[in-house]
Amino acid sequence: MSTPFPFTAVVGQDDLRLALLLNAVSPAVGGVLVRGEKGTAKSTAVRALSALLPEVDVVPGCRFSCGPGSPDPACPDGPHAPGASGSRPARMVELPVGASEDRLVGALDIERALSEGVKAFEPGLLADAHRGILYVDEVNLLHDHLVDLLLDAAAMGASYVEREGVSVRHASRFLLVGTMNPEEGELRPQLLDRFGLTVEVAASREPDRRVEVVRRRLAYDDDPAGFAARWAGEEAAVRQRVVAARALLPSVRLGDGALRQIAATCAAFEVDGMRADIVMARTATALAAWAGRSDVLAEDVRQAALLALPHRRRRNPFDAPGLDEDKLDETLEEFGGQDPGDGDDDPDDPGPGGGPGGQPEPGDAPGGDGDTAARPEAGEGGQPRPSGAGEQSPVRAAEPFRAKVLSVPGLGEGAAGRRSRARTEHGRTTGARRPRGALTKLHLAATVRAAAPHQRARGRSGPGLVVRRDDLRQATREGREGNLVLFVVDASGSMAARQRMGAVKGAVLSLLLDAYQRRDKVGLVTFRGSAAEVALPPTSSVDAAAARLESLPTGGRTPLAAGLLRAHEVLRVERLRDPARRALVVVVTDGRATGGPEPVALASRAARLFAAEQVASVVVDCESGPVRLGLAGRLADELGGTAVTLDELRADSIAGLVKDVQRRAA
């Protein structure tokens, strides 16, 4: 087993280390979501945490980590004999993004269950993680069906495996820790709320701190065991402090004044539900225990709010997580002073970020400073600099609305989502087939029909059904898939009227919001002047697409053909990367073509490329004014798609709901 990088040797990242240590002190806090750019020690810090956790008392031989004092009465390995006791180190179990459902929850031997009536069960990762840490790297890329299973286990503290009337249940209470890069897309709100705390991490921009990061990493790579030995004293000190804080935790007093501050803060920031209040209370209590105090102070409530609320105040996927600290201070001051506690400990105790417990001082290492959000190049007054003749500054998008459902016709086999019909592992059962590989979803009726004719030849004498491997049938199911929604947006001078462009951006923003809810990948191609560009390659980050759309300038001619050809090339490359994901092309234009020689003929030929490859498409007609030329409708005909106006794009439009993009006969 490789030697992990020591937790106390992680340079800087004070908020990250504090959040992890608070969960070590009080697992009831509910886990940590670590958001940040790549290469910022997110995974390193999480993997190092398990070495600081106390050992776990278990029943010897139990695969489900039952505690000897209160074993699970429904444990599949039970019942357990009283008095048996042992211990093992705390586990950190990693859930791969591409894991199967059986790997997560465990596998039940269906053939033995049917023929022998026994529950032959192989535990999964949820059993391994019981009373430990379940770590998901790139948690925002986790498949929806795995997210659903995690949510169920986190809510009920147990995992259920159901296979055609045969069920197994076992306890599964774990500390959920996830890391993610927001550029790859956001989390579902339900899973986001399950993380007790969240922290944002970024690499320092200070050269001295970056030097220290490199120095420690090189020293570790040269001699992992020797490097870990040099930090053994600091590791032991933090481990002892965690144990002491756990012992102190039950005696920490959370007074009415602190509770009132917590409730007022959650109300002021309009967070949904009551989980935020509970998490803040547990976090503030853990902070007091970590500092060695028996009373919760206002400073604990403030720090708890900074860790527990940023990810809960997002009202839509385009809101950046964060907290207005001035508003927080005003709320705490308004509702403070009623029961601040009477702890005598030094309020300047640096906690896990420095000094006590052998932690590096803040000056030793990079912290979370530095704003790394992508910003458009700005000129005077903060406005983006013009990049071409006749270009206008970006126009703000109008308010988004609930858009109509646009879906790809036919039956796909792409990644799970919520847009178009597809053959999936989850959904309604539509038939049966012979299993290819391991059986995951049994079709009971088809299996019985396959086995029934052979019962006499197999010597059946009792009531049980004699089942062979060849009799088993896999259920085929139909659900929904996510698609690649590629936006091709006309940003030329014919679209540049500010009120009109604002409405266009609002419509695209509405479609982006719909793509977020339906688990699509999105891409953005824009065209204006004399060329087209890929403003955003296909990605799961709808937030990034919204940001690029907001900063989109307009002006110049309309190179429609260039925009379509660039979109066609993007689809060609994406098909090589992900051939199962079907595409939906959304062209947002008034249909005019004025760029280059023979612009109309070139645009027509480019559009027919999509029709020839049967790419689903829709044209959002942005033409306005009393006189309409109908150019967008002609473009839709050549694409083999459908045209809708901006007004018809609204779900509440009287024009009727557009459910599928219908191909038109040539």
Side-chain angles (χ1 to χ4, degrees), residues 53-345:
L53 299 179
E55 288 194 338
V56 178
D57 293 330
V58 296
V59 174
C62 178
R63 297 175 297 167
F64 301 87
S65 300
C66 283
S70 56
D72 181 9
C75 176
D77 283 356
H80 299 298
S85 178
S87 64
R88 61 162 175 78
R91 290 176 182 162
M92 191 198 71
V93 177
E94 293 195 42
L95 171 60
V97 169
S100 66
E101 178 181 339
D102 285 347
R103 184 71 187 97
L104 178 61
V105 300
L108 190 65
D109 191 327
I110 302 298
E111 186 173 356
R112 290 190 62 192
L114 285 176
S115 59
E116 302 176 28
V118 297
K119 297 179 181 179
F121 181 69
E122 183 66 29
L125 296 178
L126 289 180
D128 293 341
H130 180 46
R131 304 175 68 199
I133 302 171
L134 182 62
Y135 171 49
V136 189
D137 194 13
E138 303 294 348
V139 64
N140 51 324
L141 303 182
L142 200 63
H143 289 302
D144 272 5
H145 69 284
L146 298 183
V147 171
D148 293 337
L149 294 170
L150 277 182
L151 288 173
D152 288 344
M156 297 184 294
S159 174
Y160 291 84
V161 181
E162 303 285 347
R163 291 291 187 274
E164 301 296 339
V166 181
S167 65
V168 174
R169 173 209 170 275
H170 64 83
S172 181
R173 291 181 293 276
F174 48 83
L175 177 63
L176 183 60
V177 180
T179 58
M180 60 174 283
N181 183 346
E183 294 178 358
E184 295 293 334
E186 285 294 342
L187 277 177
R188 283 173 53 179
Q190 296 94 330
L191 183 57
L192 189 65
D193 190 51
R194 282 292 171 187
F195 287 97
L197 310 179
T198 185
V199 291
E200 296 274 345
V201 296
S204 174
R205 300 301 183 255
E206 295 184 13
D208 290 343
R209 293 188 173 185
R210 298 176 74 95
V211 166
E212 184 62 22
V213 172
V214 176
R215 182 180 291 119
R216 294 189 187 183
R217 185 69 209 189
L218 293 178
Y220 171 77
D221 290 341
D222 289 342
D223 183 10
F227 184 83
R230 290 196 294 274
W231 288 89
E234 287 81 354
E235 291 281 285
V238 174
R239 192 178 300 111
Q240 292 171 4
R241 190 175 176 188
V242 169
V243 172
R246 279 192 172 190
L248 178 61
L249 187 67
S251 61
V252 174
R253 187 173 70 93
L254 181 64
D256 290 343
L259 274 174
R260 185 172 176 81
Q261 285 184 316
I262 290 170
T265 301
C266 292
F269 285 98
E270 300 180 351
V271 296
D272 294 332
M274 295 298 297
R275 183 172 285 119
D277 304 62
I278 296 170
V279 171
M280 272 190 67
R282 290 172 174 167
T283 305
T285 304
L287 280 162
W290 176 255
R293 288 186 268 100
S294 58
D295 286 283
V296 174
L297 305 181
E299 65 196 58
D300 300 323
V301 176
R302 185 182 192 279
Q303 182 65 59
L306 293 175
L307 293 172
L309 296 188
H311 61 302
R312 292 187 166 90
R313 58 157 296 277
R314 287 168 60 104
R315 313 313 296 180
N316 66 64
F318 308 133
D319 289 339
L323 217 60
D324 184 341
E325 295 194 31
D326 291 337
K327 181 178 178 180
L328 173 61
D329 291 335
E330 291 173 3
T331 303
L332 294 176
E333 183 177 355
E334 180 182 353
F335 291 89
Q338 299 179 27
D339 185 12
D342 55 359
D344 297 324
D345 295 81

Side-chain angles (χ1 to χ4, degrees), residues 328-453:
L328 173 61
D329 291 335
E330 291 173 3
T331 303
L332 294 176
E333 183 177 355
E334 180 182 353
F335 291 89
Q338 299 179 27
D339 185 12
D342 55 359
D344 297 324
D345 295 81
D346 182 6
D348 296 325
D349 176 22
Q359 291 282 49
E361 296 289 342
D364 290 344
D369 57 333
D371 181 11
T372 59
R375 302 177 184 274
E377 186 180 3
E380 295 182 4
Q383 293 295 327
R385 294 191 180 99
S387 60
E391 182 177 295
Q392 300 183 16
S393 60
V395 180
R396 291 189 63 84
E399 283 296 315
F401 50 82
R402 188 167 65 91
K404 289 179 177 178
V405 181
L406 305 174
S407 60
V408 179
L411 195 63
E413 295 182 341
R418 296 184 177 180
R419 182 171 296 278
S420 305
R421 293 174 56 219
R423 299 182 186 91
T424 63
E425 288 294 320
H426 304 271
R428 63 185 182 89
T429 300
T430 58
R433 61 173 173 80
R434 291 181 179 273
R436 295 189 290 266
L439 178 72
T440 56
K441 298 291 184 182
L442 178 74
H443 195 295
L444 183 58
T447 299
V448 171
R449 284 197 300 269

Side-chain angles (χ1 to χ4, degrees), residues 43-61:
S43 300
T44 299
V46 174
R47 292 189 175 102
L49 176 65
S50 60
L52 301 179
L53 299 179
E55 288 194 338
V56 178
D57 293 330
V58 296
V59 174

